[in-house]
Amino acid sequence: MIEERPGAEPGYRFFALGVRQRVDHTDPGAGTFEQRLTLLHTATDRPTVPTAGSGPRPGARHRPSPRRGPPCRGRRGVW
């Protein structure tokens, strides 16, 4: 699922994405879930920088908003 959503600040486009994943990749019959993420896009000639954000609590309704946050930190620093 890819859906462009309104509300991004000028110069940005805001997308909500959903990726269907297996619960257990070694057991296809174990079921699936949808992993959701958002993308705040500015230009195709600029890098995509993942940002850390607080996700919804388990069972809470997911209502993403178009906002920028600090870059994620990987094991070896900023991605």
Side-chain angles (χ1 to χ4, degrees), residues 1-2 29 50-51 54 58 61:
M1 178 264 316
I2 300 174
T51 60
S54 58
R61 184 166 171 78

Side-chain angles (χ1 to χ4, degrees), residues 9-35:
E9 61 187 84
Y12 290 86
R13 294 173 70 192
F14 178 54
F15 295 90
L17 301 93
V19 179
R20 181 68 47 193
Q21 301 266 15
R22 286 185 181 170
V23 171
D24 181 347
H25 290 279
T26 62
D27 181 4
T32 61
F33 69 97
E34 185 176 81
Q35 182 175 6

Side-chain angles (χ1 to χ4, degrees), residues 30-42:
T32 61
F33 69 97
E34 185 176 81
Q35 182 175 6
R36 292 176 286 188
L37 58 131
T38 58
L39 174 69
L40 196 55
H41 175 74
T42 183

